[in-house]
Amino acid sequence: MMWAIILHGGAKEIEPEEAEAHRHGCLKALAAGRSVLQSNGSAADAVEAAIRELESDPTFNAGYGSALNADGEVEMCSALMEGGELNVGGVSIIQGVRHPISVARAMLHETEILLSGPGARRFAAERGLELCDPADLIPPKEQKAKQTGTHDTVGCIALDMSKRLAVGTSTGGLDGSPVGRVGDSPQPGCGYYVDDKVGAVAFSGDGEHIARKMLAARVMHRLSADEPEGALQDALDHVAAIGGEAGGIVLTPAGEFGWRHNSRDFAVAFQNSDRDSPEAFTRKGDAS
Ligand code: GLY
């Protein structure tokens, strides 16, 4: 029985001195997701486990270490989707929760697909999820990797042994953005999508450009007829045509991986049940 997992730590510029932190963080997150899949856990649980690790690592712009908005506050967006029943859970501009991905996970079986702001935090509290002071998500400066690019949403896709696919995204948004701004990451068809019959995709990058071009929807439409990287390249051509930068990952129901970016760098890690060890790439041209 096959399993597979791919994740990314953001489409951005990664300076040489930041490469190891990105590689280490991606591999740690991959290990968390892999361990769920190897124990016959669900794809959704694997995605949540992997993204919780990325949200705990200040190297990445998600959870602890998120970008700060124009008021110097952290507002986060996250989504999780399952490809069988097309269950969708999302939160946007949520504050004061440790793991937005777990709030999105808890939303999966609700009628609503997306809760915002105080309503999202109230939902998290009602579900007993971990709350915190919003300021506790801002690490001391020396712990935070330099954000040389602003496009560093994290994302993960998993295929479990029951052939179920799930995808998740999590982001602190863009540095200095207006209070209340929402990008592509919690919007299905923009920053992510999954259908067990077709495959799954997650993007990182310029949220407004990704949403305008509905990048995830474009990839899904092409995936039945095209290779993962061809479908991703077509989407990137569309976003580049309006001046946008992005990176995307794909996983098909057959376990084929794809990843592509027009940002300078893109931190990615992946593994499946046929590989003894994971592969990870951080800066352009680097290999694990
Ligand atoms: N891609 C993340 C954002 O634009 O918020």
Side-chain angles (χ1 to χ4, degrees), residues 153 171 173-174 181 183-185 205-207:
T153 305
T171 188
L174 303 183
R181 177 255 178 201
D184 59 301
S185 306
D206 296 330

Coordinates of all heavy atoms in Angstrom, one line a residue, residues 153 171 173-174 181 183-185 205-207, ligand 1:
T153 N 4.0 31.5 2.3 CA 3.0 30.6 2.8 C 3.6 29.2 2.8 O 4.4 28.9 2.0 CB 1.8 30.5 1.7 OG1 1.4 31.8 1.5 CG2 0.7 29.6 2.1
T171 N -0.5 30.6 6.4 CA 0.3 31.7 6.1 C 0.1 32.9 7.2 O -1.0 33.0 7.7 CB 0.0 32.3 4.7 OG1 0.9 33.3 4.4 CG2 -1.4 32.8 4.6
G173 N 0.5 35.8 5.9 CA 0.2 36.9 4.9 C 1.5 37.7 4.5 O 2.6 37.1 4.5
L174 N 1.3 38.9 4.2 CA 2.3 39.8 3.7 C 2.7 40.8 4.7 O 1.9 41.4 5.4 CB 1.9 40.5 2.4 CG 1.4 39.6 1.3 CD1 1.1 40.5 0.1 CD2 2.5 38.6 0.9
R181 N -6.5 42.1 5.5 CA -6.2 41.6 4.2 C -6.2 40.1 4.1 O -5.7 39.4 5.0 CB -4.9 42.2 3.7 CG -4.4 41.7 2.4 CD -3.3 40.7 2.5 NE -2.9 40.2 1.2 CZ -2.2 39.0 1.1 NH1 -2.0 38.3 2.1 NH2 -1.9 38.6 -0.1
G183 N -5.4 36.8 1.5 CA -4.8 36.4 0.2 C -5.4 35.2 -0.4 O -6.6 34.9 -0.2
D184 N -4.6 34.4 -1.1 CA -5.1 33.2 -1.8 C -5.2 32.0 -0.9 O -6.0 31.1 -1.1 CB -4.1 32.8 -2.9 CG -2.7 32.6 -2.4 OD1 -2.2 33.5 -1.7 OD2 -2.2 31.4 -2.5
S185 N -4.5 32.0 0.2 CA -4.3 30.7 1.0 C -5.5 30.1 1.5 O -5.6 28.8 1.6 CB -3.3 30.9 2.1 OG -2.1 31.5 1.6
G205 N 2.9 32.4 -2.8 CA 3.3 33.5 -3.6 C 2.4 34.7 -3.4 O 1.8 34.9 -2.4
D206 N 2.3 35.5 -4.5 CA 1.6 36.8 -4.4 C 0.1 36.5 -4.4 O -0.5 36.1 -5.4 CB 1.9 37.6 -5.7 CG 3.3 38.1 -5.7 OD1 4.0 38.2 -4.7 OD2 3.9 38.2 -6.9
G207 N -0.5 36.6 -3.2 CA -1.9 36.1 -3.0 C -2.9 36.8 -4.0 O -3.8 36.1 -4.5
Ligands
GLY1 N1 0.2 33.6 -0.5 C1 -0.1 34.1 0.8 C2 -0.7 35.4 0.8 O1 -0.7 36.1 -0.2 O2 -1.3 35.8 1.8

